[in-house]
Amino acid sequence: MTATASLGAALLAGYGYSTLIAPAHGAALPMITGGVMAMQTSSAMAHPVWAARLRVALWAPLFFGSGLLIHSVATALGGTAVEIAAFALTTFIAVGVRRFGPDFSVLGLTGWTGFFISAFAAPSLAETVILLGGLPIAACVTFAVSILLRPHRPQNALAHVLRAWTAQTDAILADADAILRQTSVTRRRRTAQRIHNRSRHRTEISLLADGWLGQVASFPETTPHSIRSHLFQMHTAVDTVVRTACDATGWVDDSRVRAVRRVVSALARHDSDLAITRSDQLLDGCESVDLALFATDAIALATLRRDDPASDEHLLEEFVPAASMTPDGSLGGSASIAPMVRPRGGPRTASWHLATRQAVQASLAVAIAAAAGLLLSVDHYTWAALTAFIIFLGTSTRGDIAAKAIYRAIGTLTGMVLAVPIVLSSGAHPIVVIGIALLCCAFGYYLMSVSYVYLMLCTSLAVSEMYNVMGQFNSAFAAIRIAEVLVGSIVAVLVATLVVPISTTDAITHARQQLFRSIRELLNTAAGHIHEQRPVDHQEMLRMGKLVEEHTRQLSVVAAPLRVFRRGRSATDIRVALRKYDEYCIHTRRVVSSLPEHAAGGLGECADLRCRLHESLEELSEKLNIEMKPKKAS
């Protein structure tokens, strides 16, 4: 919504500015320039501090204008060779400034985009001056839209995330109820897979809630520690209920299956009192440990869903979120792992900052792609350079870059095929074109979380409409654009593979070791608590449990590209491995939830059991230490 509103407001402001200042030069280029800058900087305008938003609004016109001027100077100094060298220099600067923070990633992108627009539009000196004058107006409009649509209200954001967590929990319980009623093996398998996917998504939502808990200033009736504990206990209880429901589909005893189904059905219908009653009935005379655990957690879940988080004694303790969020309120990607991974290059490159490595890669890829694109088209070679540059945005490893290149090629090809009938039917009326561009922006950004293919598809449609207004869209243009995108994608993948690459396998190994270290720390703490019979710091254990969840999510993120390239048995092995790590996360949540908060509880009366638990946890910790060693086959 913010990106679309910023684009629409900037287009309107650009039209008014060009009409008043220089109607003879036309309004298309000022509108495109201001709209693109507004759309790109809208993500940086989600910063929680309004002064930071204002700083981005002030710096964006300077970066964008610098890109315009650098191209103008390069064009005046020489021919195409100088222009390609300037392309590489601008790319190095645009990527290198990322080391100063996420806002500079956006600012670097705007500066590079200014160079690109000047390269493909080739404005005159007078038109360049007009474009420079319109940039501050677009920045002010974007800042105003961000204040209206995205005010920083952590309480509202936290409430929204908690509602999403509740909705996801309700959907998982409904699926658990459905799997007990289904008789088809195929439907049960699909439902079980859907439960697993939603459970993984629910873990991400809980980490988002943890991040927003650290930003909320005050809690009138509770504390962030209480909310974290409430969600954690509910998460553990749901894991047990869902696991028992899935296992019950293979039981022979129908009476036990019916008993489980009655409890799950009551939970799915939000009938907490009935769920507690049926769970109590199941506990009476229950001889199965699994059923007893299921009934106990079902009672806990029903009680937690009915009651709000209560306040506790940790009012003055500092709350430390387990997951770090980006300025726009989302969880970090593979870039959180890549800086700690040694690149596959010489020993001197190992000490390079991640932004420096990517700057070298991106600038080299842009220069080669631009030179190769010239062989296809002198007028449109900049599309190859743009493709090579964009592929290095938001990616860190070779697998990430290769996957994004494939998605970009597929999205462009599909978009250009769909653009032919849409452009022919819509015509070149400016109002229709602007409407289609706004729709493409809205749907592209909205569906980007599903797949990058959708963003590229919508972008190709919008670009085709823009060229149609300029009278340049035809079948030959569509073919050239597809070819240029393919060239840029291939060059980006080759450079990322050969020049100081960060291996996806190395990133997975590091993420895996990081996960095992966090689990070992948790197990050792739990073992020490059981052995010494001392009270445990429950809030610290909860933080360690959330840290295991975050490291599990990071491992899944860095391993995602392998599921794109590997098929058959290899892809199945990857899915099985990731599911195994999700099981580790579930069991560590169970360990944290099972530890007595005060003294040693019933374990103090059973020294033999206490010693067994202590030895078991230490043995698990030692096994994880062995597993942490890198294996080429894993």
Side-chain angles (χ1 to χ4, degrees), residues 308-500:
D308 294 329
S311 183
D312 55 23
E313 67 274 13
H314 302 281
L315 293 174
L316 300 179
E317 285 191 12
E318 182 183 3
F319 182 85
V320 181
S324 59
M325 297 192 304
T326 59
D328 63 350
S330 60
L331 297 173
S334 61
S336 57
I337 296 291
M340 298 175 281
V341 180
R342 183 184 180 93
R344 296 280 187 92
R348 295 182 179 179
T349 62
S351 60
W352 288 4
H353 192 277
L354 177 63
T356 304
R357 301 180 209 166
Q358 292 182 324
V360 172
Q361 290 177 325
S363 57
L364 184 60
V366 166
I368 297 175
L374 277 171
L375 302 177
L376 296 175
S377 173
V378 178
D379 297 328
H380 301 293
Y381 78 95
T382 53
W383 289 113
L386 174 67
T387 299
F389 176 77
I390 293 296
I391 286 175
F392 283 95
L393 291 178
T395 54
S396 302
T397 65
R398 290 186 298 192
D400 278 340
I401 293 171
K404 189 172 183 179
I406 292 175
Y407 292 150
R408 188 172 183 87
I410 294 174
T412 301
L413 177 61
T414 308
M416 296 308 297
V417 171
L418 294 176
V420 175
I422 293 177
V423 169
L424 292 177
S425 60
S426 63
H429 195 280
I431 301 299
V432 176
V433 172
I434 291 176
I436 293 176
L438 293 176
L439 287 176
C440 290
C441 176
F443 283 104
Y445 272 87
Y446 183 75
L447 295 175
M448 184 172 61
S449 61
V450 180
S451 176
Y452 184 70
V453 172
Y454 294 110
L455 177 62
M456 285 313 307
L457 188 152
C458 294
T459 301
S460 297
L461 290 176
V463 169
S464 300
E465 289 288 350
M466 180 186 71
Y467 273 90
N468 187 39
V469 171
M470 298 168 62
Q472 299 181 21
F473 183 83
N474 49 43
S475 58
F477 167 78
I480 291 174
R481 173 162 167 75
I482 293 173
E484 296 284 1
V485 168
L486 289 176
V487 168
S489 300
I490 293 172
V491 169
V493 172
L494 290 176
V495 171
T497 304
L498 300 176
V499 181
V500 286

Side-chain angles (χ1 to χ4, degrees), residues 515-524 548 584 588 624:
L515 171 62
F516 284 172
R517 274 193 294 268
S518 61
I519 297 178
R520 283 194 69 208
E521 183 182 358
L522 188 148
L523 291 178
N524 289 333
V548 172
Y584 289 171
T588 51
L624 287 174

Side-chain angles (χ1 to χ4, degrees), residues 272-304:
S272 299
D273 295 334
L274 181 59
I276 293 174
T277 301
R278 289 177 173 175
S279 298
D280 287 332
Q281 294 173 355
L282 185 59
L283 276 175
D284 293 339
C286 180
E287 299 180 356
S288 170
V289 175
D290 291 336
L291 279 181
L293 180 61
F294 164 77
T296 303
D297 277 5
I299 293 174
L301 177 58
T303 305
L304 290 168

